[in-house]
Amino acid sequence: MKASVKDEIRASGKRLTRTRKAVVAVLESAKYPLSPAELYALLQRRKVAIDPVTIYRNLSALKSIGLVRQLKLHQEDQFRYEMKEGREHHHHIRCKSCGKIADLLLCPLKKLTAMIERETRFVVGDHSLEFSGWCPRCQ
């Protein structure tokens, strides 16, 4: 767990529990946003004794601090979670066959966002973009 993450948890007044450390460690090592069920399975593999309710509580706490991003991908009935720390704004692509998710480490909407702000005089706070297709294994 990164020192800056520990510092932010402590500064928020939240406790740095063993299970919270484990949740953060799994999210930090994840290559794509995880559902609570996926997070639970990964924690079980690491022999962390944790129940699903505790996972939801930890995700909620980490989200309220601003360390975790909650997102809902299209065509899914669940939220997914990923660490914000050390990750720039990005989007995702999801395989229509197997459900594999990959990060797109670019944002082609910066110019469009500026145009929308000029046109509407809104200040855009956030946006999301999701692609879907078929991964190399499912093609």
Side-chain angles (χ1 to χ4, degrees):
M1 176 186 288
K2 297 176 184 172
S4 58
V5 172
K6 288 180 185 177
D7 293 343
E8 284 192 55
I9 292 171
R10 288 186 180 122
S12 73
K14 307 258 188 246
R15 291 187 8 219
L16 191 56
T17 62
R18 179 184 52 80
T19 54
R20 189 161 289 152
K21 286 180 191 176
V23 167
V24 168
V26 170
L27 288 173
E28 283 180 333
S29 66
K31 294 182 179 165
Y32 57 89
L34 299 173
S35 70
E38 291 167 333
L39 181 56
Y40 179 75
L42 291 168
L43 288 164
Q44 293 297 298
R45 277 191 228 147
R46 291 183 180 197
K47 307 284 190 240
V48 176
I50 190 169
D51 62 84
V53 173
T54 303
I55 289 174
Y56 280 101
R57 278 194 209 118
N58 276 286
L59 289 170
S60 178
L62 294 168
K63 181 183 165 216
S64 72
I65 298 169
L67 291 173
V68 167
R69 178 180 297 112
Q70 178 186 38
L71 56 125
K72 188 165 185 340
L73 299 179
H74 299 291
Q75 314 227 338
E76 285 193 341
D77 294 333
Q78 62 189 349
F79 287 110
R80 291 183 169 272
Y81 299 86
E82 64 185 0
M83 293 298 293
K84 282 180 160 180
E85 178 77 14
R87 302 187 78 195
E88 292 191 27
H89 174 77
H90 64 281
H91 299 284
H92 302 94
I93 186 165
R94 186 172 182 276
C95 179
K96 291 181 174 191
S97 292
C98 69
K100 178 181 178 177
I101 299 167
D103 286 347
L104 300 174
L105 300 176
L106 60 109
C107 179
L109 298 178
K110 290 178 182 172
K111 289 181 182 177
L112 179 60
T113 299
M115 185 178 79
I116 289 168
E117 287 181 334
R118 276 193 311 275
E119 202 60 37
T120 65
R121 296 188 358 207
F122 275 64
V123 174
V124 176
D126 198 12
H127 67 264
S128 64
L129 176 65
E130 180 186 336
F131 293 90
S132 63
W134 292 269
C135 70
R137 195 179 83 211
C138 295
Q139 291 175 19

